[in-house]
Amino acid sequence: MDGVLSLDEVLSLDTVGQAEAVRNGVVSPREPAEAAIARIEALDGELNAVIHRRFDQALAEIDDIPEDAPFRGVPILLKDIGWESAGDPCGSGSKILDGVVADHDSHGTAALRRAGFVILGRTNVPELATTITTEPLAFGPTRNPYDLAYSVGGSSGGSAAAVAVGMVPVATASDGGGSIRIPASMCGLVGLKPTRGRISHGPSLAESWGGLSTTGVLTRTVRDTAALLDLLSEMMPGEPYAAPAWRRPLAEEVGADPGRLRIGFVTVHPRGDVPEDAEATAAVTRMAESLDSLGHEVVPAHPEALGDPEFAMYHGALISANVAAELETVAAWRGRPVELAELEPHNRLVADAGRSMSATDYLAALRLLNGYRRRMARWWTAGPGTTGYDLLLTPTLAVAPFPLGWISDDEVYLALERAGLGAAFTAPFNSTGQPAISLPVHRTAEGLPVGVQFVAAAGREDLLVRIAAQIEATVSFKHGPFRHFE
């Protein structure tokens, strides 16, 4: 990389590209952060992606970054739930955490700092991260840069909007039912939910949402996703899960030949109560055709367990119980109980259900989901009575890209139903703990992004990176245009 880059050229680079530009002296360690700050200040008044800014602190920290830090000077934003950063608010999209400030860095945040990332602030999330649109009452809605009337998805919605419009090349995320993959689909990004146990929740938590939730990142390129997962996958002592080790770094899988894969695909949810969406079907169908042209064996097939009509009830039970438990933690932080009236209407229902659940009820739901995980896993395993598949291809979001207000607490039961339908293809793989990735391969007639999801067996992020890189190189991922900002 030679010559001098303009601010726009700096921001057009992905994470790896910005790091290389700093390392090669094409830009100074301050310039990427300064360019990112300028873009946030120019665009975020309308997008509302960044709800806490720490620009002065961030710029002051740059001089202390070691010269050999691999991502020296690259700006990043943190999702405002989990991902604690010492001295900064941690609001989780809710008024119940007003005034709460983190007293430590999470394990992941500390790893980012050591690697040289410059943390510019924290991104918007729905209250307690319990729905698939980012419209919290505490901070207001985040708007989709492709159309300001549309949702960015959730719960990592602020992170998705910021990366999509190029405020930063990468932002952190988490996923308990689709919260990395759904915003990736809505904003035209790469979003990989890692295998359960791949990235630590420490030191504050051993697990999140009973093992349903994992952390990760949102990026514009496959190589960025691979590089960040390599960085973040170092575990703390005493973790409750151990993800299978990779044979080499994920960065080395980018561009590696995936071989001829056996890929099953589905366009209509086998549960029977999820209406078919024409855009989702078109995205998967075209992707299946592309995979066939690349030499893969692509057949209509899916795990039988994906159609289990009871899955959503047990998945929801775990979320409800864990949200209720989180409120007890908040009560301890602030020194007084959390009343249901302090929550948004949908979270009143979620928390009330959790508070009314017995320990026996919770363990029964956990036992049933453990059985579900074993039934699902058989589909990816060749053995007696099974054919074995390498990957499953599905829609990411089971509904069409939706406008702000489509999931509204004005009709709270309808809001919960719509959120559950939207996550119908993503949530099962939080329960199984398998890795899954959303890729931006389709647009509606109006130009809104639509993603497709690939799911691999536990531990096989390497295979997801290989197929994603192959698709990126042949189908290509288009970012923009953002008509409102051009």
Side-chain angles (χ1 to χ4, degrees):
M1 189 178 298
D2 300 315
V4 177
L5 298 181
S6 69
L7 293 185
D8 282 344
E9 288 172 327
V10 171
L11 292 173
S12 71
L13 298 173
D14 66 358
T15 305
V16 173
Q18 289 192 21
E20 289 175 348
V22 172
R23 190 161 51 249
N24 295 335
V26 177
V27 297
S28 75
R30 297 180 66 86
E31 286 178 286
E34 290 171 343
I37 289 168
R39 182 161 290 185
I40 292 170
E41 289 177 333
L43 303 185
D44 201 48
E46 292 180 283
L47 290 181
N48 192 37
V50 186
I51 49 87
H52 173 68
R53 302 178 182 188
R54 57 184 312 277
F55 297 162
D56 290 341
Q57 301 99 304
L59 293 174
E61 291 163 359
I62 292 173
D63 291 340
D64 295 327
I65 300 173
E67 289 188 12
D68 61 351
F71 294 97
R72 181 186 181 207
V74 178
I76 193 169
L77 291 163
L78 305 180
K79 181 179 180 179
D80 194 32
I81 190 166
W83 294 101
E84 296 89 353
S85 54
D88 295 327
C90 45
S92 299
S94 180
K95 296 175 182 178
I96 66 173
L97 284 158
D98 280 351
V100 175
V101 173
D103 61 4
H104 67 279
D105 282 349
S106 72
H107 185 63
T109 300
L112 294 171
R113 289 192 197 276
R114 288 194 300 271
F117 281 98
V118 181
I119 299 171
L120 297 183
R122 301 181 69 81
T123 60
N124 204 7
V125 297
E127 185 182 63
L128 306 181
T130 54
T131 190
I132 65 167
T133 188
T134 302
E135 304 177 49
L137 294 179
F139 298 101
T142 297
R143 297 171 182 86
N144 195 311
Y146 285 91
D147 187 326
L148 297 182
Y150 275 74
S151 172
V152 291
S155 63
S156 306
S159 289
V163 174
V165 82
M167 292 176 180
V168 289
V170 58
T172 69
S174 57
D175 191 316
S179 290
I180 292 173
R181 293 158 288 162
I182 289 171
S185 177
M186 296 280 277
C187 293
L189 301 174
V190 177
L192 195 159
K193 179 193 82 68
T195 298
R196 179 176 298 160
R198 182 68 69 196
I199 300 176
S200 177
H201 290 282
S204 298
L205 297 174
E207 64 177 13
S208 180
W209 281 8
L212 298 181
S213 184
T214 59
T215 55
V217 295
L218 286 158
T219 72
R220 295 193 295 270
T221 65
V222 175
R223 71 173 185 171
D224 275 6
T225 289
L228 267 293
L229 262 64
D230 282 336
L231 172 66
L232 294 168
S233 62
E234 180 182 353
M235 305 304 290
M236 297 182 71
E239 299 289 354
Y241 311 106
W246 303 316
R247 65 188 182 93
R248 61 183 182 181
L250 287 184
E252 296 181 20
E253 304 294 352
V254 178
D257 184 0
R260 186 171 190 264
L261 301 178
R262 183 172 170 80
I263 303 172
F265 75 93
V266 60
T267 57
V268 180
H269 202 290
R271 205 171 67 200
D273 62 345
V274 182
E276 180 178 6
D277 175 67
E279 297 290 357
T281 294
V284 171
T285 301
R286 290 172 184 169
M287 187 74 263
E289 292 169 354
S290 296
L291 292 166
D292 181 74
S293 70
L294 289 168
H296 300 293
E297 179 187 358
V298 187
V299 295
H302 60 82
E304 182 181 356
L306 187 61
D308 188 332
E310 296 187 321
F311 160 77
M313 178 173 62
Y314 296 119
H315 182 91
L318 254 66
I319 293 174
S320 294
N322 278 276
V323 167
E326 287 171 9
L327 297 182
E328 297 304 312
T329 301
V330 173
W333 283 343
R334 68 182 199 170
R336 66 183 190 280
V338 177
E339 305 296 337
L340 291 180
E342 297 180 75
L343 301 173
E344 295 180 21
H346 71 279
N347 277 326
R348 293 173 200 166
L349 295 178
V350 170
D352 189 48
R355 287 176 171 178
S356 66
M357 194 180 303
S358 69
T360 302
D361 293 336
Y362 181 83
L363 290 173
L366 189 62
R367 183 173 64 252
L368 286 161
L369 287 178
N370 285 339
Y372 178 81
R373 181 172 68 249
R374 291 192 185 279
R375 287 188 288 132
M376 287 281 273
R378 295 189 194 111
W379 191 81
W380 278 263
T381 306
T386 64
T387 53
Y389 287 82
D390 297 299
L391 296 170
L392 173 66
L393 167 65
T394 79
T396 301
L397 186 65
V399 298
F402 53 87
L404 292 167
W406 186 71
I407 294 176
S408 169
D409 276 348
D410 291 341
E411 299 179 81
V412 64
Y413 288 102
L414 179 61
L416 290 169
E417 177 186 350
R418 286 177 169 175
L421 289 176
F425 284 109
T426 54
F429 304 105
N430 294 86
S431 287
T432 66
Q434 292 170 249
I437 191 170
S438 181
L439 299 177
V441 298
H442 181 69
R443 295 288 180 89
T444 69
E446 296 74 28
L448 295 167
V450 175
V452 297
Q453 174 180 241
F454 287 90
V455 186
R460 294 308 309 272
E461 290 97 330
D462 57 341
L463 189 56
L464 291 178
V465 167
R466 278 184 235 150
I467 192 68
Q470 185 182 49
I471 294 165
E472 184 180 37
T474 55
V475 177
S476 78
F477 303 157
K478 184 174 70 170
H479 304 291
F482 308 109
R483 292 184 296 272
H484 185 78
F485 298 110
E486 300 193 357

